[in-house]
């Protein structure tokens, strides 16, 4: 069931997967409807601040063009307001004004620079005008549709919109991993009307790596979990306990575990609802024979501030008025020793408040260890962990850095992701 079906061999070749990939498609003379992730960070005037996601899609885009196909690209951008739900004309006007900054034009401009011309941006997502423009395309042409989330049918996975989108392409390619955990018209509904739906290069790589972790990991398999709340990651922890040899827990969530073990945690982050969960996890780990590592020492601060006073304390040593913001030096040593023994590591969540230099040491130590270990397959979850690794300039040194925060978490939860399940079986 679920992602376990996305097999990957020892060298993680796409050929081992049981879903179609872009390389299985004959795109010559075909219209390729491709869902990409152009949800880029923007400047205040709407221009593109960081084009990493556009660059990342170029491999699939260029593949189609080099093989004589035409591209109809669709993506969402930001979180547009819903003018149809406005309660007054004034409110409606405001929403429309804000939404104007989420039009895809600046993205099209950047894409045009990157591919050297040939990009037409349309002001609609579907309908007769779009169909006419698509009908007039020549091999190598690229059309970028308007922000899919401008259409009320997108997030509702509206069958009518799905059918309209499907009319635009002969085949469908999914290359937006950040959106495959959502059943939307452009990620899932549309595939119901396509004869062939395949994973693009980005999505195929994600499927290969996470599929490997879930179905036949290299062992020892170590998972590192951090971040803020235990409650957010219950499902991941439960699923990982069935998979991993060692589970390393750091970050804000570790204090809820310490509390569950009866230690004082001062003003550290506490997830009340997570205490019972933590107790169950501790019991389940020992029952399943999973090694569970928690911090032995902590960098505490007297305020949530980079300039706060700090000291290092052992287990149970966090006094009232102090809060744990990073793992301590002994913990770094223990965690790193466990990680060094691994053949495969999957990491989700920073082990400290890495956004502040004084509490980033633990996260940096783990990132540097993974980056320097050729013998370890390192899989970095999206979101904050990917941001941390990128901040240290180590992304290229990891085996895989996921492009989807929510999607990579749901993969690790063992869930079936609608946008992946919808792809055509080989
Ligand atoms: P998440 O989105 O759940 O992965 O949480 C990531 C966030 O957890 C980051 O912004 C970190 O700064 C934060 N975090 C990590 N360790 C701690 C900590 N000890 N106390 C408070 N926040 C933390």
């Amino acid at each position: 069931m679920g992602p376990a079906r996305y097999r990957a061999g020892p060298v993680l070749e796409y050929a081992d997967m049981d879903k179609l990939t872009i390389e299985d498609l004959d795109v010559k003379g075909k219209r390729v409807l491709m869902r990409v992730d152009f949800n880029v960070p923007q400047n205040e005037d709407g221009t593109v601040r960081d084009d990493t996601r556009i660059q990342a899609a170029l491999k699939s885009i260029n593949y189609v063009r080099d093989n004589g196909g035409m591209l109809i690209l669709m993506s969402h951008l930001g979180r547009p307001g819903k003018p149809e739900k406005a309660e007054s004309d004034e409110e409606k006007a405001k929403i429309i004004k804000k939404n104007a900054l989420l039009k895809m034009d600046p993205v099209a401009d950047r894409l045009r620079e990157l591919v050297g011309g040939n990009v037409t941006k349309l002001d609609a997502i579907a309908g007769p005008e779009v169909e006419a423009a698509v009908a007039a395309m020549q091999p190598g042409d690229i059309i970028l549709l308007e922000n899919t989330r401008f259409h009320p049918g997108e997030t509702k996975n509206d069958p009518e919109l799905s059918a309209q989108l499907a009319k635009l392409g002969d085949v469908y390619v999914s290359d937006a991993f950040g959106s495959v955990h959502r059943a939307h018209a452009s990620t899932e509904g549309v595939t119901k009307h396509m004869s062939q739906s395949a994973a693009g290069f980005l999505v195929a790589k994600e499927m290969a790596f996470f599929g490997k972790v879930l179905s036949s990991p290299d062992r020892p398999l170590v998972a590192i979990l951090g971040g803020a709340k235990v409650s957010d990651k219950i499902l991941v922890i439960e699923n990982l306990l069935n998979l991993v040899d060692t589970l390393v827990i750091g970050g804000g969530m570790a204090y809820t575990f310490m509390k569950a073990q009866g230690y004082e945690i001062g003003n550290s982050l506490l997830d009340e609802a997570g205490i019972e969960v933590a107790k169950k996890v501790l019991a389940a780990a020992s029952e399943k024979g999973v090694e569970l590592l928690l911090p032995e020492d902590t960098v505490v601060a007297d305020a949530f501030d980079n300039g706060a006073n700090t000291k290092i304390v052992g287990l149970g040593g966090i006094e009232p008025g102090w809060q744990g913001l990073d793992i301590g030096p002994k913990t770094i040593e223990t965690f790193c020793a466990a990680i060094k023994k691994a053949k495969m590591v999957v990491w989700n969540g920073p082990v400290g408040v890495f956004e502040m230099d004084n509490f980033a040491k633990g996260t940096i130590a783990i990132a540097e260890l993974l980056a320097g270990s050729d013998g370890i397959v390192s899989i970095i979850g999206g979101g904050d962990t990917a941001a941390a690794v990128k901040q240290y300039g180590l992304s290229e040194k990891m085996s895989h850095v996921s492009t989807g925060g929510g999607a990579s978490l749901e993969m690790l939860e063992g869930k079936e992701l609608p946008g992946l399940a919808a792809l055509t079986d080989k």
Side-chain angles (χ1 to χ4, degrees), residues 280-300:
K280 280 188 196 144
V281 170
L282 290 164
S286 91
E287 193 183 303
K288 290 174 200 282
V290 172
E291 181 184 31
L292 195 147
L293 297 179
L294 286 162
E296 317 158 41
D297 60 350
T298 298
V299 179
V300 293

Side-chain angles (χ1 to χ4, degrees), residues 227-229 233 251-252 255 269 304 324-325 349-355 384:
K229 286 170 86 183
K233 294 189 182 159
Y255 304 102
L269 203 62
F304 189 79
L325 295 182
V351 295
V353 185
F354 77 99
E355 296 93 335
D384 280 317

Side-chain angles (χ1 to χ4, degrees), residues 1-291:
M1 205 213 95
R5 283 162 47 226
Y6 310 129
R7 281 180 286 111
V11 284
L12 302 170
E13 283 180 9
Y14 306 148
D16 292 329
M17 297 202 314
D18 41 17
K19 292 290 185 182
L20 288 187
T21 74
I22 189 167
E23 290 179 302
D24 296 318
L25 300 175
D26 173 16
V27 298
K28 192 169 170 33
K30 299 265 176 67
R31 290 178 174 76
V32 179
L33 179 64
M34 189 184 289
R35 176 60 158 94
V36 288
D37 182 0
F38 285 171
N39 183 27
V40 293
Q42 292 173 281
N43 298 310
E44 257 176 39
D45 62 357
T47 51
V48 178
R49 193 176 74 227
D50 178 347
D51 68 359
T52 308
R53 288 181 169 169
I54 306 177
Q55 299 244 24
L58 290 179
K59 189 168 176 195
S60 292
I61 291 171
N62 288 334
Y63 178 86
V64 171
R65 298 180 86 203
D66 293 346
N67 286 284
M70 297 158 255
L71 277 155
I72 300 96
L73 303 177
M74 48 186 177
S75 174
H76 76 281
L77 177 61
R79 291 169 183 258
K82 297 189 188 319
E84 70 275 10
K85 286 205 174 149
E87 282 172 2
S88 65
D89 286 348
E90 199 188 331
E91 192 192 336
K92 188 172 180 176
K94 250 192 201 163
I95 295 175
I96 291 174
K97 195 172 163 204
K98 258 185 139 177
N99 283 358
L101 290 171
L102 297 176
K103 286 163 72 88
M104 298 302 280
D105 300 71
V107 174
D109 292 342
R110 189 73 193 98
L111 177 64
R112 200 172 289 120
E113 286 168 23
L114 289 169
V115 300
N118 251 354
V119 177
T120 305
K121 149 74 181 35
L122 300 183
D123 291 329
I125 297 147
E129 279 167 37
V130 176
E131 285 165 31
V134 166
M137 290 175 91
Q138 297 296 319
D141 285 353
I142 299 176
I143 280 181
L144 176 60
L145 303 179
E146 187 51 278
N147 189 341
T148 52
R149 290 207 186 152
F150 283 175
H151 196 298
E154 162 73 335
T155 54
K156 288 188 195 137
N157 204 5
D158 175 42
E160 210 170 298
L161 174 61
S162 301
Q164 276 185 323
L165 289 174
K167 270 202 239 169
L168 306 177
D170 301 306
V171 291
Y172 174 83
V173 171
S174 161
D175 216 20
F177 184 71
S179 298
V180 292
H181 57 315
R182 313 215 183 271
H184 290 171
S186 70
T187 61
E188 199 264 349
V190 62
T191 64
K192 293 188 181 132
H193 308 274
M194 307 293 305
S195 59
Q196 284 187 311
S197 302
F201 289 109
L202 279 178
V203 165
K205 184 167 178 259
E206 302 270 5
M207 287 165 79
F209 276 94
F210 285 105
K212 177 81 179 145
V213 171
L214 292 164
S215 62
S216 58
D218 299 335
R219 294 192 182 277
L221 170 65
V222 174
I224 308 162
L225 287 184
K229 286 170 86 183
V230 178
S231 305
D232 289 348
K233 294 189 182 159
I234 298 173
L235 296 173
V236 177
I237 298 174
E238 279 176 355
N239 197 42
L240 287 176
L241 281 177
N242 294 321
L243 283 172
V244 303
D245 301 287
T246 301
L247 181 59
V248 173
I249 294 185
M253 70 190 319
Y255 304 102
T256 301
F257 278 86
M258 288 182 199
K259 187 85 182 168
Q261 289 176 316
Y263 295 111
E264 286 309 320
I265 59 166
N267 295 11
S268 307
L269 203 62
L270 174 65
D271 177 5
E272 285 280 357
I275 295 179
E276 283 312 305
V277 178
K279 286 184 183 164
K280 280 188 196 144
V281 170
L282 290 164
S286 91
E287 193 183 303
K288 290 174 200 282
V290 172
E291 181 184 31

